[in-house]
Amino acid sequence: MSSRKLSELLDLHRKTITIAYEELILQGWLETKQGSATFVANNLPEIKSEKLIDNPVFLPKTAGFNFDSKSFLHREVVKASDKLHLDDGFPDPRLAPLVDLARAYRSNLVHGNSYVKLGYGDTKGAYWLRQELAKYLNESRGLKITPDNVLIVRGTMMGMYLLTTAFVKTGDYVVLGEMTWSSAKINFLHAGANILTIPTDENGIMVDVLEELCKKHPIRLIYITSHHDYPTTVTLKADRRIKLLKMAEKYRFIIFEDDYDYDFHYQSKPLLPLASADEVGVVLYSGSFTKSISPAFRVGYLVAPEEVIEHLSYYRRIIDRQGDTMLENAIAELLHEGVIQKHLRKSLRGYRERRDFFCELLTQKLKNEVSFQIPEGGMSVWTKFDKSIDLVKTAENALRNGLYFSNGLQHNLPDYNINSTRLGFASSTVEELEKCVEILEKSITKV
């Protein structure tokens, strides 16, 4: 049919029809023959016509191919909300130096050579940030590193994934605490590792048990949160740290040290990380700005021997060519100016006040329902509920009343319900904490 005739039938301008024809020809739906008309392309497969429905589904819910769905990957995604919360131990973004960060971000965005700053950069991360981090970690954590010992990642989760991809093979033996960070466990399960567990007491993981495991199995790696054990918040004591390092050297296994909230220790000066005493290159040290600024700012780091950093950078490039160079340089600027260091000192005072107030509230309002040790550091209180309390239903009731906290199921041992959970205090003001405990008290549900 000619374009003139079709324009008359559809009551459209002829140019519109001509443009539509040209587009269909370019896409291969139509074809023209010299000296003749325009036709539907001959090479199109014959498609059976279907009756139109009133509410068509444009994309099916199920895939048209087979795949394995691993059950351990299925877990609740906890999102921030405007409800009151006693979370897992997150910082208060209201205290973060957001004005300074915005200034530094804009400065790095508009000044300097735009081709260099806005183009592809180093897979290991912005050199300025690695330089400032090396200086900061050397001063604050007793490390002895250079920028070549630092790999910038999106966060500890990404660092963990790179670690398992690069160094853990199917069948390798990996050791975790009996109660551990679920994201770490999932990474090792995904890598096909055989997971072994060791208990934790008031002095941290029981290193003597680890040695017995080393005699039975070729241990590839141990994952630890040495400064504030997850979830219990206890600190791994000095004698166990020394023994663990010697054991790693003897049995040649990797120590992945996740130092997620080193900067917030209240009782005394924090113990230096294992990485500060590592003389043989067995420790891979991890940290991030998630706890010091906010979870939204996805900048973390791995510290290791240069050879390891170079090796991990190859894997990082597979999944993420580079990070947010502007954000990395902005954080580098704040470290260089001392803004982040000042923020950490101020936050430490504020979080200590909130910890003391929250623990006093728990003692006054819930002394017959909960027990806990005042944490030496961190942003949450490891809280044990009385056996007569149904923690799951209590959490459900609290949520209906406007308070979120974890029901603690993720911390249970395979054959024992410990009826405990982490109650985060740092992200709430003292006024909000008072409201939280009031709701928690009203929401207690007996078995």
Side-chain angles (χ1 to χ4, degrees), residues 375-392:
E376 295 180 2
M379 300 180 176
S380 64
V381 176
W382 177 241
T383 311
K384 297 181 180 180
F385 284 73
D386 188 83
K387 292 181 179 180
S388 65
I389 294 172
D390 188 325
L391 187 51
V392 173

Side-chain angles (χ1 to χ4, degrees), residues 228-259:
H228 301 131
D229 176 69
Y230 188 95
T232 67
T233 75
V234 299
T235 300
L236 183 64
K237 298 307 178 187
D239 59 324
R240 295 190 182 183
R241 290 168 179 251
I242 295 170
K243 190 168 185 178
L244 179 57
L245 283 170
K246 289 183 177 179
M247 226 185 296
E249 181 180 0
K250 178 181 178 180
Y251 294 102
R252 298 187 64 80
F253 58 76
I254 302 166
I255 299 174
F256 187 91
E257 185 176 17
D258 179 359
D259 213 354

Side-chain angles (χ1 to χ4, degrees), residues 139-423:
E139 292 174 350
S140 64
R141 288 152 170 78
L143 302 188
K144 298 174 280 293
I145 61 173
T146 72
D148 292 329
N149 297 117
V150 181
L151 175 69
I152 304 301
V153 290
R154 297 283 187 179
T156 302
M157 283 287 294
M158 183 179 184
M160 181 76 65
Y161 184 80
L162 293 176
L163 169 81
T164 54
T165 303
F167 298 128
V168 179
K169 301 189 298 293
T170 300
D172 280 349
Y173 287 92
V174 171
V175 178
L176 309 172
E178 281 184 335
M179 297 178 291
T180 192
W181 186 37
S182 59
S183 293
K185 184 176 182 180
I186 287 170
N187 264 284
F188 296 124
L189 286 172
H190 182 63
N194 292 314
I195 293 180
L196 304 173
T197 61
I198 54 178
T200 300
D201 62 16
E202 65 276 7
N203 295 316
I205 59 166
M206 300 175 69
V207 178
D208 289 340
V209 177
L210 173 62
E211 185 152 32
E212 293 303 311
L213 291 178
C214 288
K215 294 175 181 177
K216 297 177 182 178
H217 306 285
I219 303 302
R220 177 57 171 164
L221 180 146
I222 178 172
Y223 168 80
I224 59 168
T225 49
S226 57
H227 202 214
H228 301 131
D229 176 69
Y230 188 95
T232 67
T233 75
V234 299
T235 300
L236 183 64
K237 298 307 178 187
D239 59 324
R240 295 190 182 183
R241 290 168 179 251
I242 295 170
K243 190 168 185 178
L244 179 57
L245 283 170
K246 289 183 177 179
M247 226 185 296
E249 181 180 0
K250 178 181 178 180
Y251 294 102
R252 298 187 64 80
F253 58 76
I254 302 166
I255 299 174
F256 187 91
E257 185 176 17
D258 179 359
D259 213 354
Y260 62 97
D261 58 4
Y262 177 90
D263 295 293
F264 303 111
H265 199 74
Y266 312 114
Q267 298 299 95
S268 58
K269 290 290 185 181
L271 286 173
L272 294 178
L274 277 77
S276 68
D278 179 20
E279 297 179 348
V280 294
V282 293
V283 179
L284 206 161
Y285 182 75
S286 171
S288 79
F289 290 94
T290 295
K291 293 293 190 290
S292 54
I293 300 179
S294 172
F297 299 108
R298 307 305 302 163
V299 177
Y301 51 87
L302 296 176
V303 174
E306 290 182 28
E307 180 186 37
V308 172
I309 295 299
E310 187 71 27
H311 185 65
L312 290 173
S313 72
Y314 303 149
Y315 287 89
R316 191 259 162 82
R317 187 168 182 174
I318 295 174
I319 62 171
D320 191 19
R321 171 60 178 77
Q322 67 189 63
D324 184 341
T325 305
M326 291 300 101
L327 179 58
E328 291 175 14
N329 280 327
I331 291 177
E333 184 171 325
L334 297 192
L335 281 170
H336 181 75
E337 295 174 347
V339 172
I340 288 180
Q341 295 88 324
K342 181 180 178 181
H343 159 68
L344 292 173
R345 291 192 295 270
K346 180 180 177 181
S347 297
L348 181 67
R349 294 192 295 270
Y351 293 158
R352 181 193 289 117
E353 179 186 352
R354 294 178 184 186
R355 180 204 63 170
D356 294 344
F357 183 78
F358 181 59
C359 289
E360 182 64 26
L361 278 177
L362 290 178
T363 301
Q364 291 178 358
K365 303 289 185 180
L366 296 166
K367 63 180 179 180
N368 296 323
E369 284 77 25
V370 303
S371 60
F372 61 92
Q373 294 291 326
I374 299 176
E376 295 180 2
M379 300 180 176
S380 64
V381 176
W382 177 241
T383 311
K384 297 181 180 180
F385 284 73
D386 188 83
K387 292 181 179 180
S388 65
I389 294 172
D390 188 325
L391 187 51
V392 173
K393 290 184 178 178
T394 297
E396 291 172 353
N397 288 340
L399 189 61
R400 283 192 289 268
N401 293 327
L403 168 67
Y404 166 80
F405 71 91
S406 169
N407 58 24
L409 290 179
Q410 62 173 314
H411 305 306
N412 285 341
L413 301 177
D415 56 351
Y416 181 64
N417 177 10
I418 60 176
N419 216 40
S420 303
T421 193
R422 285 164 62 92
L423 299 179

